[in-house]
Amino acid sequence: MTSISPELHLVDFANTAPNTLQQQVISAIDAANAFLDELAIMVDNKESANALDTKQALTDIKNFDHINLALDRSWGILSHLNSVMSNDEIRHVHHELLPKLSAYGTRVGQHQPLFSRYQTVVNDKAFFAALEPARARAIELALRSFELSGVALPKAEQDKFAEIQSKLSTLSATFSDHVLDATQAYALPLKAEQLAGLTESGLALVADAGEQFKARELAIGALTQAEIDTLPTPYYVASLNIPVYLAIMTHADDRNLRETLYRAYVTRASEFDEHANAKGESLNNADIMRQILQLREQKAKLLGFDNYAEVSLSTKMADNVAEVETFLGDLAAQATPTAEQDLAQLQKYAQNYGITDLQPWDSAYIAEKVKQSEFSLSQEEIRPYFPLPKVISGLFAIVERLYGIKVQEQSESVSRWHDDVGFYQLFDADDHLIGGFYFDLFARSGKRGGAWMSGFQSRYTYAEQDHQQLPVCFMVGNFTPALDGKPSLLTHDEVVTLFHEFGHGLHHLLTQVTVGDVAGVNGVEWDAVELPSQFMENWAWDAEGIALISSHVKTGAPLPKEKLDALLAVKNFQSGVQTLRQIEFALFDLLIHAQTPALDYDGILTTLNSVRQDIAIVQTPDYNRFANGFSHIFAGGYAAGYYSYKWAELLSADAFSKFEEDGIFNPMTGKAFRETILSVGGSFPAKVNFENFRGRSASIDALLRHSGFADTKNQTKNSAAANASTTSKVI
Ligand code: ZN
């Protein structure tokens, strides 16, 4: 058995108590704060920040990075456990620490003496130019984030900035509370005839929604226990929780029911939503949206930008608003002919169900009918071909062929947080240890839903203190566990998910950068960070890749060609319409953040309508208030950044097209991808890395081809709408 390298600094997960972690987080924050206090004193003793010695300033920066390791580590373990093994104790500790962490983060962001260290290094031009590129980039990024947090502003403006930030965080929280409350407040008891068409799992969902409805009505005193006892069991209730909503929109035969539910969904938290929260307050987000845009604009102006879109793009790969608009406009023009075919296909099928005027509440329902009759393929049929152990060993074989790297399982020799967890060491072709990773792939209670990669420990070296660490990451999924001695069997969607997360994992692990802030995925622009993950998915769609990862659980046969063809056909089903929808959201998001003066609610609705007129080919009812529930941009971090999804897709498609040209297992191309993208991480701008790999700037062609739009290209001239839109879509 290979021994485990001390440079992995593995955690003894089996013996980690939440209370101990809490102590560690607190003392790490205390130590970092004490360091900042010291820094403050040093600056006070100088006449001005300019008097700082550059070398000393850099040493202070490095020491501060180093002192933060203890916090990254203890907090990293705690938040990881809270995501994968949550219980009351961990959650309690986690919640208790959050305000302390946020206070510490604010202090760092506003810390003038620390900021002046970074300025000193950058202003000493000769010194800065001689730094290793990764260190220089880390300093530039840190300086930019200081500036975006308002540290460089005069005192009065700094106070104003802090006030804006604080108002914005309250408004965002209220926005998302309203959406959540509006979603939960809606309940529509269903009559037996309204259940027609629902699948078994759909019925279970509406029955479960019924039980939740009873419990809530009782809790808020709307119904007494006696009244609830008169209700049947199961009691079927339609709700706006997304699984229930989708089950009904996809399968319910009752067209009126679908329309009713659609209307409720797209008017949540708008002036048409009559629900109130527990305090009796309206859930209408209209004025909150106005205030958010206004405050964001004020913030942008304080920071020296014209509008908030510029603030958002200043940290992204895309250069400016015009570039993103052109990208979205081009993509829309190219997707439109396919979208028109998609729509025509749905309209034709709809007639079989007596629908002559296809409406938004019919689309998912009819699309499902088309899928069933045209593709006759269910994910359940595919499962037996993808036993998890085969998928994993095939995935390792694929990356070995691509990058020459080897994976070795070491689960038995390390301490883990659960028996299902696997631990692996990654070696280079010359048997050099690269790093380690954990797979925690099965659903269980106490685990957050979805799949993710968490770059727990970055590659990092601090020679002065003789500290070396190799990268370690967690890759987490929620697949069906192995049952009755049979291995876990994956749907193809799940296979793709595993490849996606492994792509993120390799980005984290294969880094050669030893400055933690820009090692692996750290410091990579938001609109480029999904490149390596989406890129990796391609091998799960390729015949040669499929041959390596599939083996029927009974017969051992690989996935037959006709099943792969069917999977590929479904992959691009309705891709035109779906792409246009994503563009509509992205363009709307970009435009409302690029407007000065900031828009009021009417202005927001007008912009949404004009984007729809330019982009959409399906009419949206006048009452649709999609924007009032658009949490990504009003409550999440995607403001003027929703385009990132499509942007990263363009990058990954274009990167993969190099492999299509050279052979998808071409080791030289693999080596080039590893060296120009994966190894360098955030130590150079994503644009530089991409151009180093591709030998040119990114092109949209591969994305069009992969989305199935290229085939319809020659039909563009037949479509007046598409031609007219090529220019008008670039608003
Ligand atoms: Zn991802």
Side-chain angles (χ1 to χ4, degrees):
M1 190 165 54
T2 323
S3 63
I4 304 290
S5 161
E7 290 181 4
L8 290 173
H9 300 272
L10 293 187
V11 179
D12 182 4
F13 279 107
N15 299 297
T16 326
N19 279 338
T20 319
L21 287 169
Q22 183 175 28
Q23 288 312 316
Q24 286 169 356
V25 171
I26 291 171
S27 40
I29 293 178
D30 289 347
N33 271 324
F35 183 90
L36 291 175
D37 295 343
E38 287 284 312
L39 274 192
I41 294 164
M42 282 165 63
V43 155
D44 287 345
N45 291 341
K46 303 270 183 183
E47 284 174 8
S48 78
N50 295 337
L52 264 175
D53 169 45
T54 313
K55 250 196 200 144
Q56 183 58 46
L58 182 60
T59 304
D60 290 344
I61 290 171
K62 287 184 178 178
N63 284 338
F64 184 63
D65 281 353
H66 196 67
I67 209 157
N68 274 296
L69 272 192
L71 178 58
D72 288 351
R73 188 175 177 80
S74 49
W75 178 248
I77 299 169
L78 187 66
S79 28
H80 173 63
L81 291 177
N82 188 46
S83 302
V84 296
M85 289 286 281
S86 197
N87 55 40
D88 287 347
E89 196 188 357
I90 295 177
R91 191 172 310 147
H92 177 74
V93 168
H94 188 259
H95 272 52
E96 236 178 35
L97 287 171
L98 279 174
K100 289 194 174 61
L101 251 115
S102 119
Y104 170 69
T106 308
R107 183 176 186 212
V108 173
Q110 302 284 337
H111 203 269
Q112 201 69 43
L114 185 62
F115 172 58
S116 69
R117 262 58 177 187
Y118 286 93
Q119 281 181 309
T120 303
V121 174
V122 170
N123 292 341
D124 190 338
K125 297 218 160 49
F127 184 90
F128 186 68
L131 289 176
E132 61 158 322
R135 175 63 64 189
R137 175 80 175 159
I139 289 177
E140 274 174 353
L141 292 183
L143 208 52
R144 195 180 61 194
S145 102
F146 268 115
E147 278 161 4
L148 291 178
S149 65
V151 72
L153 300 174
K155 181 76 181 86
E157 292 186 8
Q158 224 173 47
D159 293 346
K160 172 106 183 100
F161 187 89
E163 192 192 320
I164 292 175
Q165 287 291 80
S166 144
K167 278 191 193 157
L168 273 174
S169 72
T170 311
L171 286 166
S172 293
T174 312
F175 181 96
S176 84
D177 285 350
H178 283 177
V179 177
L180 189 68
D181 288 348
T183 305
Q184 287 179 350
Y186 184 86
L188 178 70
L190 298 173
K191 299 186 191 80
E193 61 269 26
Q194 290 177 304
L195 302 172
L198 290 189
T199 60
E200 218 171 287
S201 66
L203 280 176
L205 284 167
V206 287
D208 186 52
E211 290 315 300
Q212 289 177 26
F213 169 79
K214 289 180 189 170
R216 201 177 44 244
E217 293 298 289
L218 186 65
I220 61 172
L223 293 176
T224 64
Q225 185 63 53
E227 283 165 327
I228 284 179
D229 290 341
T230 65
L231 299 175
T233 304
Y235 185 55
Y236 296 112
V237 166
S239 79
L240 299 181
N241 279 328
I242 201 75
V244 177
Y245 178 71
L246 289 181
I248 292 176
M249 298 311 283
T250 313
H251 297 286
D253 294 333
D254 186 331
R255 196 179 186 206
N256 289 330
L257 170 63
R258 296 199 308 265
E259 181 178 359
T260 305
L261 211 59
Y262 170 84
R263 182 188 284 265
Y265 193 80
V266 302
T267 54
R268 284 175 307 158
S270 77
E271 65 272 34
F272 304 126
D273 189 335
E274 279 160 15
H275 297 104
N277 66 12
K279 291 182 221 153
E281 296 157 348
S282 154
L283 301 178
N284 186 357
N285 271 335
D287 196 56
I288 291 172
M289 293 152 75
R290 176 192 67 79
Q291 291 182 60
I292 288 176
L293 290 190
Q294 217 161 49
L295 289 165
R296 282 180 181 162
E297 185 198 21
Q298 288 175 21
K299 179 173 155 179
K301 293 260 157 74
L302 277 177
L303 294 172
F305 294 92
D306 275 345
N307 55 59
Y308 191 77
E310 288 183 1
V311 178
S312 166
L313 294 181
S314 74
T315 61
K316 296 195 171 67
M317 177 178 169
D319 284 332
N320 50 48
V321 173
E323 190 184 9
V324 179
E325 271 190 57
T326 305
F327 161 61
L328 294 172
D330 285 352
L331 185 57
Q334 299 289 347
T336 299
T338 308
E340 284 167 347
Q341 292 175 0
D342 291 347
L343 184 63
Q345 185 186 30
L346 293 188
Q347 282 166 336
K348 190 168 143 255
Y349 259 85
Q351 291 178 4
N352 301 340
Y353 298 88
I355 297 170
T356 51
D357 58 329
L358 189 82
Q359 297 292 338
W361 48 91
D362 302 318
S363 305
Y365 177 76
I366 298 296
E368 181 62 20
K369 301 287 183 210
V370 180
K371 249 195 214 170
Q372 281 168 11
S373 73
E374 299 273 305
F375 304 113
S376 63
L377 178 88
S378 84
Q379 291 275 349
E380 293 308 311
E381 260 174 71
I382 299 289
R383 270 188 203 273
Y385 289 96
F386 294 112
L388 182 63
K390 176 67 184 175
V391 177
I392 291 178
S393 68
L395 171 61
F396 294 166
I398 288 171
V399 297
E400 182 168 355
R401 282 178 70 179
L402 279 173
Y403 307 120
I405 51 179
K406 288 169 284 187
V407 182
Q408 209 176 70
E409 181 165 8
Q410 302 264 252
S411 304
E412 297 308 319
S413 33
V414 306
S415 165
R416 293 157 295 149
W417 56 91
H418 190 280
D419 280 347
D420 284 350
V421 175
F423 176 76
Y424 304 80
Q425 291 196 111
L426 184 64
F427 295 91
D428 220 331
D430 62 0
D431 293 330
H432 232 86
L433 180 63
I434 295 172
F437 62 89
Y438 297 84
F439 270 160
D440 182 357
L441 300 178
F442 300 125
R444 63 170 171 266
S445 71
K447 191 181 200 179
R448 181 154 69 83
W452 66 91
M453 186 287 294
S454 152
F456 166 63
Q457 178 172 289
S458 303
R459 189 183 166 106
Y460 167 72
T461 305
Y462 193 19
E464 289 87 335
Q465 297 202 13
D466 205 21
H467 181 94
Q468 288 244 27
Q469 67 185 34
L470 292 175
V472 174
C473 67
F474 309 128
M475 284 173 259
V476 184
N478 271 283
F479 305 150
T480 318
L483 278 176
D484 310 329
K486 276 196 236 129
S488 162
L489 301 174
L490 305 191
T491 64
H492 188 258
D493 284 348
E494 291 173 332
V495 172
V496 172
T497 301
L498 182 65
F499 274 62
H500 180 102
E501 299 313 332
F502 205 70
H504 280 309
L506 287 182
H507 199 189
H508 182 76
L509 295 164
L510 291 178
T511 197
Q512 284 301 306
V513 178
T514 55
V515 179
D517 284 349
V518 288
V521 296
N522 296 344
V524 177
E525 293 92 323
W526 195 320
D527 48 357
V529 79
E530 294 295 332
L531 191 181
S533 51
Q534 298 189 0
F535 167 82
M536 195 71 228
E537 293 176 15
N538 289 293
W539 277 265
W541 290 104
D542 174 84
E544 247 185 294
I546 291 280
L548 290 167
I549 57 172
S550 62
S551 164
H552 194 282
V553 67
K554 286 205 182 105
T555 66
L559 186 77
K561 188 179 177 303
E562 67 271 14
K563 290 217 189 293
L564 174 60
D565 289 344
L567 276 176
L568 286 165
V570 176
K571 184 188 180 195
N572 281 338
F573 176 62
Q574 293 287 310
S575 69
V577 165
Q578 274 161 22
T579 300
L580 288 190
R581 239 174 100 78
Q582 288 298 310
I583 295 172
E584 184 183 314
F585 299 165
L587 202 53
F588 165 69
D589 161 45
L590 188 74
L591 294 179
I592 59 169
H593 287 104
Q595 289 270 1
T596 40
L599 298 170
D600 58 10
Y601 185 57
D602 281 344
I604 294 172
L605 294 183
T606 309
T607 308
L608 183 56
N609 281 334
S610 89
V611 168
R612 277 176 181 157
Q613 254 158 34
D614 282 323
I615 302 295
I617 58 164
V618 186
Q619 274 291 318
T620 314
D622 285 343
Y623 60 74
N624 182 307
R625 291 289 180 272
F626 151 77
N628 294 47
F630 198 2
S631 296
H632 273 84
I633 67 161
F634 287 110
Y638 275 92
Y642 194 81
Y643 76 93
S644 296
Y645 289 108
K646 280 288 160 199
W647 186 272
E649 223 178 303
L650 176 151
L651 298 177
S652 68
D654 197 15
F656 183 66
S657 71
K658 175 91 176 109
F659 285 82
E660 292 175 313
E661 290 159 17
D662 301 349
I664 77 150
F665 283 104
N666 187 312
M668 292 313 290
T669 313
K671 185 168 182 279
F673 187 75
R674 180 176 172 183
E675 284 170 0
T676 52
I677 310 268
L678 301 175
S679 301
V680 293
S683 65
F684 294 99
K687 184 169 277 184
V688 171
N689 297 344
F690 186 88
E691 291 177 6
N692 281 339
F693 173 64
R694 211 57 185 89
R696 55 162 173 76
S697 54
S699 143
I700 199 171
D701 296 348
L703 173 61
L704 299 179
R705 191 160 41 78
H706 291 175
S707 310
F709 304 154
D711 299 340
T712 49
K713 225 176 179 177
N714 53 359
Q715 295 162 17
T716 308
K717 57 180 174 295
N718 300 331
S719 160
N723 267 344
S725 63
T726 313
T727 44
S728 72
K729 265 166 197 150
V730 187
I731 301 164

